[in-house]
């Protein structure tokens, strides 16, 4: 998968659209969600375009594992290591941007 010209998250990862960076390396970019659902709400994306987490897991499981490690690092800094990690896969599951992204929710006690 390569960057998609019409993908919002590809443009964010490329620096074409401003975002508030939380973490970045050569393969992964994390930024604050513009509509947070918790005290700390960060989106983690691979720089390479994948439509959803199932596609990512099949094509690059090491990248998926790295994203989980990044989530752990964010939670370690924000809230003694505890966090919720969510992936929405498909429109009916609430996915609105079709570039895989993990929602890291932390920073406070979360309800069920």
């Amino acid at each position: 998968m390569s960057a998609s010209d019409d993908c919002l998250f590809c443009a964010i990862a490329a620096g074409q659209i401003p975002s508030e960076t939380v973490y970045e390396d050569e393969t992964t970019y994390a930024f604050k969600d513009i509509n947070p659902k918790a005290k700390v709400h960060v989106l983690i994306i691979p720089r390479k375009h994948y439509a959803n987490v199932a596609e990512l897991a099949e094509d690059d499981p090491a990248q998926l594992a790295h994203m989980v490690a990044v989530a752990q690092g964010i939670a370690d800094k924000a809230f003694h290591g505890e966090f919720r990690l969510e992936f929405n896969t498909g429109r009916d599951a609430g996915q609105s941007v079709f570039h895989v992204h993990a929602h890291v929710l932390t920073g406070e006690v979360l309800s069920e």
Side-chain angles (χ1 to χ4, degrees), residues 25-63:
D25 64 27
E26 61 281 346
T27 66
T28 308
Y29 185 70
F31 56 100
K32 290 186 177 182
D33 192 293
I34 61 169
N35 187 23
K37 305 295 186 212
K39 185 175 178 183
V40 176
H41 186 167
V42 175
L43 300 179
I44 303 173
I45 62 172
R47 291 186 184 276
K48 190 172 177 183
H49 184 88
Y50 295 95
N52 58 53
V53 70
E55 186 177 283
L56 174 61
E58 183 176 326
D59 291 348
D60 194 350
Q63 174 63 44

Side-chain angles (χ1 to χ4, degrees), residues 32-111:
K32 290 186 177 182
D33 192 293
I34 61 169
N35 187 23
K37 305 295 186 212
K39 185 175 178 183
V40 176
H41 186 167
V42 175
L43 300 179
I44 303 173
I45 62 172
R47 291 186 184 276
K48 190 172 177 183
H49 184 88
Y50 295 95
N52 58 53
V53 70
E55 186 177 283
L56 174 61
E58 183 176 326
D59 291 348
D60 194 350
Q63 174 63 44
L64 179 56
H66 179 58
M67 291 170 65
V68 173
V70 169
Q72 183 66 66
I74 291 166
D76 287 346
K77 291 178 183 168
F79 194 63
H80 60 81
E82 296 186 7
F83 64 102
R84 180 177 296 160
L85 186 64
E86 294 182 359
F87 290 92
N88 299 329
T89 300
R91 190 172 314 280
D92 289 342
Q95 186 176 6
S96 59
V97 177
F98 293 89
H99 180 125
V100 64
H101 53 287
H103 293 261
V104 180
L105 303 160
T106 190
E108 61 188 325
V109 176
L110 301 170
S111 61

